[in-house]
Every structure is written in structure tokens, then in C-alpha cells.
Amino acid sequence: MATQYPFADLKAKYNEFELFKKKLPQVAVAMPEFFRVLEISFKSIEQKNAFNQPQGIYQSTGFDTAVKMLLIAMINDQIIGINSDTVEFIHAMRTLTLKWYSFGNELNACVYFGHYFYSLHSQSLHLIKDQLNNIRFLIDETNQLSKDVATLELIKPPSSNAWYINDDVIGDKLLPIVVSKRDVTKVDLPIPGYQFSFNASKIYDLRTPVFLHAHCVERPQVNNGKAIVSCPSCSQKCRVPVFHTVEVKCPNCKQVWQQRI
Ligand SMILES: [Zn+2]
């Protein structure tokens, strides 16, 4: 049976593809080639696995060039600045990849994206850093970021910044994303946070960031059969019963969310 990926059912809204081509014209031109090389890389890994060479024939696929063209397009379409953090670039690429998939494009491209950007995290960070250095001289550093509402909606991240963690899972309070802790590594350096590798399950969830800052993740404080959790909107501390999953409504701002304890 084929692996069921948690983002697999994602479908674009009506007319969203037309909007994408209009608002992000250069990205829309770069994405087909990016997906093509992701798919070739996926196939090469499958084939090489059969011959016991798990790295695949990565170099010969034009992967680096496709990444470079996409980075240039992202900057020219004003969705990210050249001086942004490397991880921010990977976040934006992940959002675009999911969006492109939702237009009916190949799932295997997303699986390779997951393999490369989550599992081979330091390798992928290097590639992005290198390519950004290669294109720096081409880019106008004063380029402004888009403030267009429709554009911002198109590139809105598929996860929030309000997460919880317990003994088994780490999850998004505002979106139905839950990841086993076996797929996550806690890191202290260079920045404290959580590194999503999906090394245990290999079920890459592209809705999940590759890295989450520690301050975005809350562990509920459990005491006398009650847990204290913070509202993802206004930070109000809320006292809830200790169940496997709780639905909470903030008494202060009425925000509703679900989380595990
Ligand atoms: Zn609140």
C-alpha cells in the first residue's frame, strides 16, 4: 500500500492557480522545473535504494540550478529578501511546494522535498546558503517585500507559531498537525528549538516547519489533575482537565484550540 502523507489531500481553492500565476509570475515559471528535478531525484533514490546506494544520483539532476532559479524568482516576486535567514528561505520554499502540489502536481516531488530538507537538513542548509551567495550580486538588496493582501494569503505558512509538546508528540495548537517526538530532535545550538527530521517514520509532513524556535513550543504544566496551557492568541493561562486531548476556549479572547496534554 502506498504511504499516506498527512498533507496528501490538500487541494487548492477555486481560481487559486490563476491568482498564483498573476501574483507570483516568476515563481510560477520556476516551479515546474523545481518539481521536475524533485521528481527525478525521488526516482533516483528509489532506484539507488534497490542497489543499496541510499544517497541517489543527486548531482546529475540539475537540482542545484532549479533551486537557484526558484530562489531568484522568490526574491524578484518580493516574497522574501536576499538577507533573510537560510531557514526562512526553506520555510518559504516549503509553503510554495505545498501550494504547487495543491494545484494537482506530483506527490513524489513533495516526498523528495521532505527527504532532502528535513532528513538531510545540514546538507540542504548548505545548498541554500551556497546558492544565496551565488545570486547575491544579481539581486537588488533594496527590493521591498510585497504588501499585497492576496499575495500574502498565497504564501501564508501552513503551520502556526503556537505549538505544544508532551511525552509523545509535538503539535500545532491552531492547525491539526501532530508529529511523533521520535521524528523530532531538541537542539540547543545555535538556536534552542526543535529540528523536524522525520527520520523515524519517513512520513514527511510538509505542513511542519523544518525548525521551530523553543519559545514557540509549550509543555503543559500538570498539577493536581489540572493542566495549565497558554492561549495561542493572547497568552492567557488557562486551566484545563488532564485528558488525552482537550478543546480549550480562552476566557479572555474566546480563541478556541485543541491540544494534547
Ligand atoms: Zn486568549
Side-chain angles (χ1 to χ4, degrees), residues 119 180-184 196-204:
S119 283
S180 162
K181 270 173 75 178
R182 297 183 309 131
D183 281 335
V184 184
F196 291 80
S197 69
F198 295 98
N199 278 338
S201 72
K202 305 283 179 202
I203 302 184
Y204 310 105

Side-chain angles (χ1 to χ4, degrees), residues 231 233-234 236 250 252-253 255:
C231 169
S233 293
C234 74
Q236 166 80 39
C250 173
N252 184 40
C253 74
Q255 170 75 50

